[in-house]
Amino acid sequence: TSSGFTPATAYDMPDYDMALESEAGVGIYNGYQQNGEKIMAVTVLLDIPDENYCAVRVVSSLSKVDVQLGMTMLFIVALSGGVILLMLSLGLYFIKSIVMPLRKISGNAQRIARGDFNVHIDEESDDEIGDLCRVFNYMVSELKNSESIKNDFISSVSHELRTPLTAI
């Protein structure tokens, strides 16, 4: 055995007992030794036993494997947390750069629909949202112009109609 014990010693070897009971002559044990160390033990019975040995047993400590698995799991959790934080920050960036300007435009469009032409949107970017803001501001200035021309026309027509009616 790789652990230095022979079956004659008072040492618990469940893998050896499993190999004796198995038809294939192989026993595998994953568990803890009496001292609390986690091990994996594999015993294979020899087909042609000699007078001293009837099986080969390999025992390996799993404590380093457990440490490595723990480190791998910690790395995966940290990486997942980093990805989540990245996705949250990108989401907030896109909300700030796309959704918020569109909400401003929507609110100002409602003000225009109610007849308030004194709205203006600041062009904060040089992308499609900035283009939309420029076109929106141009539309507001044209609507304000049209409203002014309409008011002048109504005032002029009203004045022209009032003059003959006064004489009559």
Side-chain angles (χ1 to χ4, degrees), residues 75-96:
F75 175 74
I76 289 171
V77 167
L79 184 64
S80 299
V83 167
I84 289 172
L85 286 175
L86 178 68
M87 296 307 292
L88 284 174
S89 62
L90 284 175
L92 290 174
Y93 170 76
F94 286 124
I95 285 173
K96 183 182 173 200

Side-chain angles (χ1 to χ4, degrees), residues 7-71:
T9 1
Y11 184 70
D12 188 29
M13 294 186 290
D15 53 305
Y16 180 71
D17 297 333
M18 287 182 217
L20 290 175
E21 295 172 3
S22 167
E23 289 182 23
V26 177
I28 300 173
Y29 172 72
N30 287 315
Y32 294 91
Q33 283 186 333
Q34 294 166 345
N35 64 3
E37 180 182 16
K38 189 173 182 181
I39 63 165
M40 175 186 267
V42 177
T43 299
V44 177
L45 297 178
L46 298 174
D47 290 337
I48 308 171
D50 67 8
E51 58 210 44
N52 294 323
Y53 302 104
C54 65
V56 174
R57 180 172 190 252
V58 177
V59 179
S60 179
S61 173
L62 296 178
S63 60
K64 289 185 180 180
V65 173
D66 286 343
V67 168
Q68 189 66 35
L69 284 174
M71 294 297 289

Side-chain angles (χ1 to χ4, degrees), residues 104-146:
K104 281 183 189 176
I105 292 170
S106 175
N108 286 338
Q110 289 174 356
R111 286 176 56 191
I112 290 172
R114 289 189 296 260
D116 182 9
F117 298 113
N118 295 322
V119 293
H120 179 77
I121 299 174
D122 295 330
E123 301 168 22
E124 298 172 359
S125 61
D126 200 25
D127 56 2
E128 288 82 7
I129 300 292
D131 290 341
L132 182 62
C133 290
R134 279 188 289 283
V135 169
F136 186 87
N137 289 334
Y138 176 71
M139 178 191 71
V140 169
S141 68
E142 289 296 315
L143 285 172
K144 192 186 289 186
N145 232 1
S146 296

